[in-house]
Every structure is written in structure tokens, then in C-alpha cells.
Amino acid sequence: ETEVVSSLSTGAKLFILTVIFYGILEAIIGNWSAVYLVHEKGFSIKTASLALSFFWIFMTVGRMSATFLTLKMDARWLYRLSPLFIFISLLFIIGITQESLILFSYVAVGLSCSYFFPLTLSISTQYHDQWRESLPALVIAGLMFGVCIGSFVIGFLRERMVMNLGQAFWVASFSALIVGCFSIFLTLQKPVKAVRNS
């Protein structure tokens, strides 16, 4: 596997790096939201549970609709816009003090997150067709590595009082900006397949 990674082009490696940062932010939202909303924002356990449920429900709904959306628009634009919407949604989550409004932010961030990972899988192989057999597995591994950082590393730092969850959500926001920059840079040109078919 190490030999496969070393043989990849820089662009293919950047897709893997991008999804690592995405995994960090998804793990922070998915694993730490309930604790964050209850202990640091003072919201009720019911609201925190509903917010997290809405996040996963609308992520699922969004992923199911991604195929239909990409039939009607250039998938690259959806890929670029997703991190921007994640970033804006996270800013609302961080800034909101009214408990009644937080659920809307979790609907928004769930929908915003839903498209990114499936599109990374499909777009990365379109740009790097020569690694279509190995690249999807490496992208999935990158996601898992990012999730590990967002789950266990954040937990480790929190237990040692190096970082609180408010700061962790700022890390998630910063990760969304990094992901957004990569998503634009990696899709500036048309995929090789698109060029060949045009």
C-alpha cells in the first residue's frame, strides 16, 4: 500500500489530503456536538440529540440526492460549494445562542457535508483514471484517518485541557476552509475523461 501511495501523482495525493481534513470536521460535528451543545452552550439534552439526529438524517438525504443533482449541474461546482456551505453552517453553530435556532444550522451542515465525500470519490477517479482501482480505497482510508483525528485526538486534547470543544469547532471551521481551497484548486481544469470525450 505504501508503494501505491508513493506512485500516485501529486494531484491524487492532494485528494487524499483533502478528505483527511474533511474527515476531521465531520468527526468533530458527528462525535462532539451533543457534548458541545449541552456543556458549553447550555442547551438541553433533547435539543442536542435532535440537532445531531438532524445532522445525520440530512446528510443521508443529501447523499441520496447527490446523484440527481450532478445530472443537472457540473459536479465540480457542487464540490466547490459544499465546503463553503459547511464553513458558513459551522459559523452559525458557533455563534448561535438561541436554542430554537440551532436545529436549522444542523440541517444546513448535514446537507452541506452530504455531497463532499461521494464527490471526492467520483471526481478524484475522473481526474486520475489510471489509479481508478486503488485511489477510491485510499480516499476512504484518508477519510478514516481524518475521523480518527477528529474523534480521538480532539478527545485526548480535551481530557488534558489543552483544547475545549468551542476551540474544536473552530478547528472544524478552519478545516472546512482548507477543504474549500483544495476543492477549487483540484478542479480548476476539466477531468481527463471530460477532455477526451469533448
Side-chain angles (χ1 to χ4, degrees):
E1 189 171 319
T2 305
E3 292 179 2
V4 174
V5 174
S6 62
S7 70
L8 295 176
S9 66
T10 301
K13 291 175 183 176
L14 286 177
F15 272 108
I16 298 170
L17 181 61
T18 301
V19 88
I20 289 173
F21 280 103
Y22 170 77
I24 292 171
L25 71 87
E26 184 182 296
I28 290 172
I29 299 166
N31 292 336
W32 295 109
S33 282
V35 181
Y36 172 63
L37 294 177
V38 173
H39 293 286
E40 299 210 16
K41 281 193 169 283
F43 296 164
S44 68
I45 294 174
K46 180 181 177 182
T47 297
S49 299
L50 275 174
L52 196 54
S53 297
F54 281 10
F55 171 69
W56 291 117
I57 288 168
F58 282 90
M59 179 181 278
T60 303
V61 170
R63 285 190 174 168
M64 290 170 63
S65 65
T67 305
F68 302 102
L69 278 174
T70 53
L71 292 174
K72 300 192 176 203
M73 65 182 292
D74 189 337
R76 292 178 300 163
W77 281 105
L78 192 57
Y79 191 62
R80 295 166 189 165
L81 290 172
S82 175
L84 173 62
F85 292 145
I86 293 170
F87 176 70
I88 293 170
S89 301
L90 283 168
L91 290 185
F92 275 106
I93 289 170
I94 292 167
I96 282 175
T97 55
Q98 291 179 274
E99 192 166 339
S100 58
L101 297 177
I102 198 68
L103 297 180
F104 296 104
S105 296
Y106 273 85
V107 169
V109 79
L111 285 173
S112 301
C113 286
S114 64
Y115 304 116
F116 194 80
F117 178 64
L119 287 176
T120 302
L121 285 172
S122 60
I123 290 175
S124 63
T125 52
Q126 288 175 27
Y127 276 89
H128 304 282
D129 185 52
Q130 65 271 44
W131 291 293
R132 64 184 177 276
E133 295 179 358
S134 57
L135 188 54
L138 293 170
V139 168
I140 293 170
L143 176 69
M144 294 300 101
F145 183 66
V147 167
C148 179
I149 295 172
S151 301
F152 297 107
V153 174
I154 296 296
F156 178 84
L157 295 175
R158 181 172 176 262
E159 283 179 4
R160 283 151 184 78
M161 298 184 182
V162 176
M163 176 183 290
N164 60 42
L165 290 182
Q167 293 168 331
F169 271 75
W170 279 111
V171 168
S173 302
F174 184 65
S175 296
L177 284 180
I178 294 172
V179 168
C181 292
F182 277 130
S183 68
I184 294 170
F185 174 75
L186 290 168
T187 59
L188 285 175
Q189 297 180 333
K190 284 189 176 182
V192 175
K193 281 187 176 181
V195 173
R196 285 175 181 170
N197 294 335
S198 59

